[in-house]
Each structure stands twice: as structure tokens, then as C-alpha cells.
Amino acid sequence: MSEPRFTDVDSVREQLREVDYLSDEGIAGIVYLADRLGKPILVEGPAGTGKTQLAKSTAEILGARLVRLQCYEGLDESKALYEWNYKKQLLRIQATRSDDEDSGWADISDDIFSDEFLLTRPLLEAITADDPVVLLIDEVDRVEVETEALLLEILSDYQVSIPELGTIEAKQVPLVFLTSNNTRELSEALKRRCLYLHVDYPDMDREKEIVLTKVPEITESLADQVARIVRSVRQLELKKAPSVSETLDWANTLLLLGVDKVDAATASDTVNILLKYQSDIAKARKEFASDSEAFEGSSA
Ligand SMILES: Nc1ncnc2c1ncn2[C@@H]1O[C@H](COP(=O)(O)OP(=O)(O)OP(=O)(O)O)[C@@H](O)[C@H]1O
Ligand SMILES: [Mg+2]
């Protein structure tokens, strides 16, 4: 078992905060456990809630290289694991044939199915690395369920079997993050291998902290109002609720416009930064107009 990376849950949380990632006990706790248990983390939740950023920020605090496999429909072994360098193999075969009439196929094949001819893709790259790495398998729900099988050996045994070469075992157990937007059910086999972390929209205090951290010029009272209004917008029945990235865009917009207190009119004029469906925008505007109390801030 390798050296633990973290001393305790609080130190994970504190270190993440130092690189501007605001976690909570649940998030920091799972990162801590994943390291101790040597298990991958499956991070699931709505868009724009900091799933990808968690992997990036964890790599940052560990001084580790982030190796990223971006998943998409049609992803296959040759893009996820490894591929033989056919061109180079062909050249070697031609060269061997003309040099040496006696070399048999067995010799040639031993030669051309060796490390030298292997092109490593992110999964193999992560387990063969000598330096510390964090592996991010991003948006795993985008691959077909059959393709998940490519991941299983890595996730449970940290190894890759290559028929021509044998089994390549990891030099280190990397921290692994998988993210999913839950557009489809993942297989039981995949889930079983992972610790599960649901990352939802942050509560109001954490979102306010995120705004203050990421938009440092903003005043505390405006950040407070932004977090409060976004929360009330999320409570409406919308096609697509605003994500944390949209909250940050909105906060930056208000700052650029020189707003120091949001009233119903300002909120209506700028809500298109927060929401991306016309029907959602209309709904929010109607709500702003009818509920001006929401703009009184935290004076109570
Ligand atoms: N807890 C947080 N602390 C600091 N910044 C955050 C946090 N959560 C989200 N953000 C900010 O929100 C942005 C979006 O986060 P990220 O890209 O990680 O979302 P995601 O969950 O991966 O979304 P998607 O599902 O669309 O890929 C990031 O650029 C990050 O700056
Ligand atoms: Mg993401």
C-alpha cells in the first residue's frame, strides 16, 4: 500500500480551499477515503456543480499531473487504452525482411509487439506513469454501456492486459475520478468498483463563498444577494436550473455593470446570463416582478 496522501478530512478541505475549491464535509470526506481505500470516485450530479473541477483541484494540491480521458460516444480501446503503431511496425518488417532473409515471423512479431511500438492512451498512460498522477475519466455516461468494460480492469486492479505483451501493472495507485451527468444508468459492475459522490448545487453559504473566492472584487452584500436570488430561481420549475458557473457569470456581469444592489428590474434585465431557455427566463421574470421582497437582502 502506498503512503497516504492526506492526514485527515479537514486537511483535504483546507487544502482544496487554498486552491479556490470550496468543498464540504461530504466531498472532502470521499476524497480522503478514496485515497485511504485505494478506490476510484464516481462523481455524479447536475451540470456545472464542480465535478470536473474537483479532479483538477485535487491534482493541483497534490502537485500531480492530471491525465484526462474525455469520454464521448464511439470512444474505443485505441483512444482510451493503447494502440499499436502500425506504420512503424510495417517499416520495421520491411527493414528486417531486406536485411536478413532468415528471420522468421516469430522473431519479427516479438520485436514489433514490444513497448517501442505501443502508443499509450490516457488509461495506460496513467498507470505506467512514474510521476504522481490524478486520472480523470470525464463524462463517463457518454460512452455506450458496452464500452464501460474497457474501464473495469483498470478500476479494480490498476492494470491493463495487452494480449501480445501480457499484463501491465500500475507502478502506483493513482487517484481516479469519474464524472457523470447521469444521462443514463451506469453499469452495476462500474458502480461497484467506485466510491459514490453526489455533488449537488451548493447551499447558499457555500455558493456565496464560491462567488467571493472566484469574483474577488465583489462586495460581500452583493455576493450574498446573488447567492440568495440564485437559490430562489432554482426553486422554480425550470427546464434547466442555473449552475454554479452561471452564478459566477451573473456575478461578473453585475460587477461589470456597476450594480451594487440587485433590484427586480436589474434581475429581469440580466437573468438571460443565468438561464438559457426563453420559457425559463419568462418564468423567472414573472417571479421577480411579483416577489420584490426577495430583493430586500438579508436585513431580517
Ligand atoms: N465548489 C466549487 N468551488 C469553486 N469553484 C467551483 C465549485 N463548483 C463549481 N465551481 C466553478 O464552476 C465551474 C464549473 O465547474 P465544473 O466544470 O467542474 O462543473 P461540472 O460539474 O464538471 O459540469 P459539467 O457536468 O457541465 O461538466 C468551474 O469553473 C468552477 O470554477
Ligand atoms: Mg465536467
Side-chain angles (χ1 to χ4, degrees), residues 20 22 47-53 139 181 206 210 214 244:
D20 289 351
L22 282 305
T49 47
K51 301 184 297 295
T52 302
Q53 190 62 46
E139 307 190 353
N181 281 327
R206 189 155 67 92
I210 295 173
K214 292 289 174 89
V244 176

Side-chain angles (χ1 to χ4, degrees), residues 126-143:
I127 67 157
T128 53
D130 290 310
D131 55 331
V133 296
V134 166
L135 172 61
L136 166 61
I137 303 175
D138 212 16
E139 307 190 353
V140 68
D141 52 330
R142 288 179 184 240
V143 301

Side-chain angles (χ1 to χ4, degrees), residues 214-261:
K214 292 289 174 89
V215 189
E217 305 84 13
I218 205 166
T219 61
E220 172 138 16
S221 71
L222 187 55
D224 189 86
Q225 250 199 321
V226 164
R228 200 170 288 277
I229 296 168
V230 169
R231 188 187 61 165
S232 71
V233 170
R234 283 198 193 115
Q235 280 160 356
L236 302 174
E237 210 150 288
L238 300 173
K239 266 175 124 151
K240 169 70 183 67
S243 68
V244 176
S245 22
E246 282 147 350
T247 306
L248 293 173
D249 289 342
W250 193 44
N252 274 311
T253 302
L254 295 171
L255 202 66
L256 274 174
L257 295 175
V259 171
D260 45 33
K261 188 170 181 303

Side-chain angles (χ1 to χ4, degrees), residues 71-112:
C71 297
Y72 53 87
E73 213 181 307
L75 176 76
D76 63 10
E77 190 173 59
S78 71
K79 292 290 171 282
L81 280 163
Y82 67 90
E83 188 171 23
W84 290 107
N85 188 341
Y86 298 118
K87 271 192 209 147
K88 202 169 161 191
Q89 286 178 323
L90 214 61
L91 287 172
R92 177 63 64 89
I93 293 170
Q94 286 171 345
T96 324
R97 283 270 152 87
S98 52
D99 273 14
D100 174 7
E101 295 295 329
D102 309 325
S103 62
W105 171 245
D107 294 334
I108 298 178
S109 114
D110 277 354
D111 181 28
I112 63 173

